Structures are given as C-alpha cells and as structure tokens.
Amino acid sequence: MTSTEIPGTHTPDLLRLATAGSVDDGKSTLVGRLLYDTKSVLADTLDAVHRASVDKGLTTPDLSLLVDGLRSEREQGITIDVAYRYFATPRRSFVLADTPGHVQYTRNTVTGASTAQLAVLLVDARKGVLEQTRRHAAVLALLGVPRLVLAVNKIDLVGYDEGVFEAIATEFAAHATALGYPVGSVLSIPVSALVGDNVVDRSTNTAWYTGPTLLEHLETVPVEPDPHHVPFRFPVQHVIRTNTAEFTDYRGYAGQVAAGTVRVGDEVVALPAGVRTTVSRIDTPGGPLAEAEAGRSVTLVLADEIDISRGDLIAPAHDAPVAADEFGATLAWLSDKPLRPGSRVLVKHGARTVPAIVSELSARFDEQRLVSVPDPLSLELNEIGRVTVRTAEPLPVDDYAVNRRSGAFLVIDPADGSTLAAGLVGAGLPALRDQDSSTPEGDLVSPGP
C-alpha cells in the first residue's frame, strides 16, 4: 500500500473509523473512492480492479472491488465480512473497518465498530433513513462511538436536490439526539461515492453545501484520546517466571494497559484476591519505563510475591473496580439462538472466562421507536436487551459508560464456543437507563467477596 504522506514528515495522529449502513447504500464504493482518490492502492491491485471492471462491461473502475475481496462477496454483490483498510494523508493516518450492511451480519458491525472513534453511516438519498439505518445508529450509540458522519450517498441520482438532503439530515439528527448524541457530534454530508462528489474533492454540483468534504472532516475531526484519564486497568495475560544473570527468580505480569496510566511506585491491588502491593518495575523489550499509558504492552514487576494468574486484574489500590458476581448489563444479541431468562453461558471479561447465568431479562430496546419494552420473553438476533448476569466467580467490572475497556465483555455459548452477544456493564442507552429503576447507575448489584 502506498501513502500520500510526505517523506520525512510525521503523521500527527491516528483515527479509527468504521462504516455502516444498509445493503446497496454504497459503503464499499465509498471506501474504494477514499482509497483511490488518496492514492492508497498498489498499482497491481488497481490494474486488477480495472480488468475486473472491463470484464463486467463497465467503462469506469468498480471501486467496491478494492474492498470486497472475498470471492463469495463479489459473487453476491454484498459485503459479508469486516474488511480493514489502512491509509494515510499528510495530516493523519487511518484504520478503517468496512462492515456489512445486511441485517444478517449486524454482529460484524458490532465487531468493526467496537474500537471506532468515528463511524460513517451511509444512506441512499433515494431511500432515506431506513430500519437498518436506525438499528446501526443504536448499535453505534450503545458501543459508545463518540462521533457520527451521515453520508447521504447517491446524491447525483436525486439531481443534487438540497431539499432531499436536508430532509434526511434533519430526520437523522433527531434520531441521533434521542440516542444520546450531543449537538456537534453528528455531521451530514451529501456525497456520490461513484462520481466522487464531496468524498475527497469538493463538488461543484452541490454549491448549496458549505461544509467539509468527507476526507476534510476525517482529517480534522478531534480524535478522542485513549482513556489515560480514567483509572488504571491492567488485565494479566501471562505470568513470566525466569532466572537470568541480571534477575534471580524473576516474576513479571505481562499484558496491555487497558486504561489509565501506571507508574513505578504506584500502590496497586490484584483482583479478585484483593491483595495490595506496589509497582517496582515496568519492563518492555526496549528497556524499563517510568510509566506506561493505555495501549502500551508491558510487563509489571511488583514489590511483593503474591498469587496472580492469567485473567486477574491489576488496578490502583485507591480506585479499584468492584468485584461482582452479579451485575446489570446491556446485551447486543448476535446469535440465531434466542436468549431466554435462565440461560447458562460463559462470560469472557478481559483475559478471564467464567460460567454464568443470565438470570433476568428485564427489557428489550426498540431501536426503531427508541423505547424500552419491559419483560420480554426472549431476545432474538440483533436485538438489544437489559439483563442481569450472575457469574460463578466475581469479576472486577466497571460501568461501560465510565470505562469502555473494563466495562465490556463477551457472552459465549458453552456448547460450541460461538459468540452469542456483546455485553456492556450498565444501561448503555438512555431508553434502557430510564427503564432501570431498581438499581443505581452502574448496576453492580451483588459485590463478590
């Protein structure tokens, strides 16, 4: 992959973004247009796309082929997997997840958007806001994606009509506001991915639009920083025991800093055991550090020899999460197998997986009407629900609204190991928070020992 980055310059930051939308809204073509117009495609890949386009009888390159790389995707004409693409401009680097539009693959949208700092949600200018548009917006809000771009695509097919664009933008803005998005966090842009209007270059066909092009917005939108300001969280992935000439009986705890910052000398607690100690070293392959921030993979050496194993969590002694064996949560159900109260599952939180029971299903969120339906009998594929989870062992969880890294978990089928749901500790969406009157915000209802 080539880049438009100027040699010798430094790309200031990284933006992680995802696309979402309904089938045939043009997501893959839009991503292909971004890659094509920023010259982020290898020459041989571009030649292959030109040849494939000629074989299809097209006079212009089919840019969606730059993204829909699987043979089954090309044959069906739809995106079925999450396609990750990387590109850069002189101003910023990008990691883009192109997610499926078909309702059957909403689970992949959850995967692609789970780490996104911004999402581009496409609608067809001829169709406007659809059921799947509202569903995707609810998923993005639930996952805490802080910024949205509504790309009103195929604006050329409605004669670049300003009235059509404004009606769609107004309707979606009201929906996003109801989902909890503040004013200024959602931008609507009229685009034509096929022609190139307002994707990278400003279009003369939309003189009435005075906002930025899509790429201009992506290059300049403030990037939400990694969660350094939240309390330190460190899930232990591996325990290192070794003897070297420099260290006798070395014991270190390897993993990635999930949130916050850790410094040498900090007093910490190992959960769920609850034993306190201090950090004596922060080791990396490049040498020791005085401190490490979120996203950094390190090995922590502690002052005392205590019982810590894979799956434990190291946190500040003064600001540790609650170790709970029962907590309220929001689930985005991703399985064809419905969820019913009393279902036995596995919960994977950080590096730990424990048996659990979904003891209560208290509400289902209707993402179309933005209301909460109490006491549903089940939770079906792609539905969002409010549950109570009881685990066999206490888990050190945070409310997702406070700490995304330690407030998220997966629900797994114990029979075959398949993923059943993406889970978030707490209420997640405003309508579900309004529904929950039995417990305080955060919902850690039964602390473990």
Side-chain angles (χ1 to χ4, degrees):
M1 182 180 72
T2 62
S3 168
T4 57
E5 183 174 358
I6 300 173
T9 64
H10 172 65
T11 302
D13 52 24
L14 172 71
L15 178 66
R16 296 186 295 271
L17 66 148
T19 63
S22 300
V23 174
D24 294 331
D25 277 352
K27 295 180 304 303
S28 295
T29 302
L30 180 70
V31 175
R33 172 64 63 182
L34 275 171
L35 298 175
Y36 184 82
D37 284 1
T38 57
K39 299 179 175 60
S40 300
V41 185
L42 289 171
D44 56 350
T45 301
L46 195 55
D47 289 341
V49 168
H50 278 286
R51 289 195 299 271
S53 301
V54 170
D55 292 341
K56 293 169 65 175
L58 302 177
T59 58
T60 58
D62 182 356
L63 299 179
S64 68
L65 297 179
L66 293 173
V67 179
D68 289 337
L70 299 179
R71 181 179 179 182
S72 57
E73 292 183 334
R74 294 195 299 269
E75 290 174 348
Q76 295 181 62
I78 62 172
T79 303
I80 63 175
D81 202 359
V82 180
Y84 290 94
R85 294 294 180 265
Y86 310 89
F87 65 102
T89 70
R91 304 184 69 174
R92 180 170 279 175
S93 295
F94 304 91
V95 178
L96 187 150
D98 180 37
T99 66
H102 197 285
V103 64
Q104 179 182 353
Y105 303 109
T106 300
R107 70 196 75 180
N108 298 39
T109 302
V110 174
T111 300
S114 60
T115 60
Q117 299 158 304
L118 178 147
V120 179
L121 186 55
L122 272 77
V123 296
D124 187 324
R126 299 168 299 176
K127 302 175 183 177
V129 176
L130 302 176
E131 177 180 327
Q132 184 72 334
T133 311
R134 290 187 286 269
R135 178 178 293 112
H136 280 153
V139 169
L140 296 171
L142 179 67
L143 293 172
V145 178
R147 295 180 180 276
L148 296 181
V149 173
L150 181 71
V152 182
N153 193 27
K154 305 183 183 182
I155 194 69
D156 54 312
L157 298 184
V158 296
Y160 299 99
D161 191 319
E162 180 182 6
V164 171
F165 169 75
E166 291 294 342
I168 295 173
T170 300
E171 178 184 355
F172 184 78
H175 187 76
T177 299
L179 286 170
Y181 280 98
V183 176
S185 62
V186 179
L187 174 68
S188 296
I189 305 175
V191 303
S192 172
L194 182 64
V195 179
D197 294 300
N198 296 326
V199 179
V200 171
D201 301 316
R202 184 170 299 278
S203 173
T204 57
N205 297 312
T206 54
W208 42 264
Y209 173 71
T210 58
T213 67
L214 177 59
L215 183 62
E216 286 172 348
H217 182 64
L218 297 181
E219 287 183 319
T220 58
V221 65
V223 174
E224 299 293 328
D226 282 334
H228 303 322
H229 61 287
V230 297
F232 167 65
R233 300 290 185 260
F234 186 82
V236 176
Q237 297 179 6
H238 184 61
V239 180
I240 300 175
R241 293 290 304 271
T242 187
N243 286 298
T244 66
E246 184 179 0
F247 299 106
T248 303
D249 195 23
Y250 180 93
R251 182 194 293 262
Y253 306 99
Q256 186 180 77
V257 180
T261 301
V262 61
R263 298 174 178 84
V264 173
D266 283 354
E267 185 181 13
V268 295
V269 60
L271 297 171
V275 180
R276 296 190 175 205
T277 183
T278 57
V279 177
S280 60
R281 287 177 61 91
I282 303 174
D283 288 339
T284 72
L289 301 175
E291 65 178 42
E293 295 182 329
R296 190 71 184 257
S297 295
V298 298
T299 299
L300 299 184
V301 179
L302 305 179
D304 302 293
E305 187 171 316
I306 59 179
D307 185 16
I308 298 178
S309 58
R310 171 179 166 82
D312 288 356
L313 183 80
I314 299 174
H318 69 280
D319 201 355
V322 176
D325 57 15
E326 184 175 5
F327 52 88
T330 304
L331 298 184
W333 196 249
L334 309 176
S335 173
D336 293 321
K337 181 189 303 183
L339 170 70
R340 292 184 173 86
S343 296
R344 295 183 178 273
V345 298
L346 297 175
V347 167
K348 185 179 187 303
H349 177 260
R352 171 170 297 200
T353 302
V354 300
I357 295 176
V358 181
S359 58
E360 181 182 2
L361 176 55
S362 58
R364 177 181 61 81
F365 178 65
D366 185 334
E367 78 281 352
Q368 303 302 315
R369 297 184 296 131
L370 299 182
V371 297
S372 189
V373 181
D375 302 320
L377 297 177
S378 64
L379 205 61
E380 307 290 337
L381 174 67
N382 297 325
E383 291 184 338
I384 297 170
R386 189 83 170 92
V387 302
T388 300
V389 179
R390 291 169 50 198
T391 57
E393 303 172 20
L395 295 176
V397 295
D398 288 296
D399 191 298
Y400 186 83
V402 177
N403 194 324
R404 291 175 66 178
R405 303 299 193 274
S406 52
F409 61 93
L410 293 176
V411 179
I412 298 171
D413 190 334
D416 59 14
S418 62
T419 299
L420 298 175
L424 314 174
V425 178
L429 290 168
L432 291 175
R433 286 197 292 270
D434 294 342
Q435 177 70 26
D436 180 27
S437 59
S438 60
T439 56
E441 185 70 23
D443 228 26
L444 305 182
V445 297
S446 179

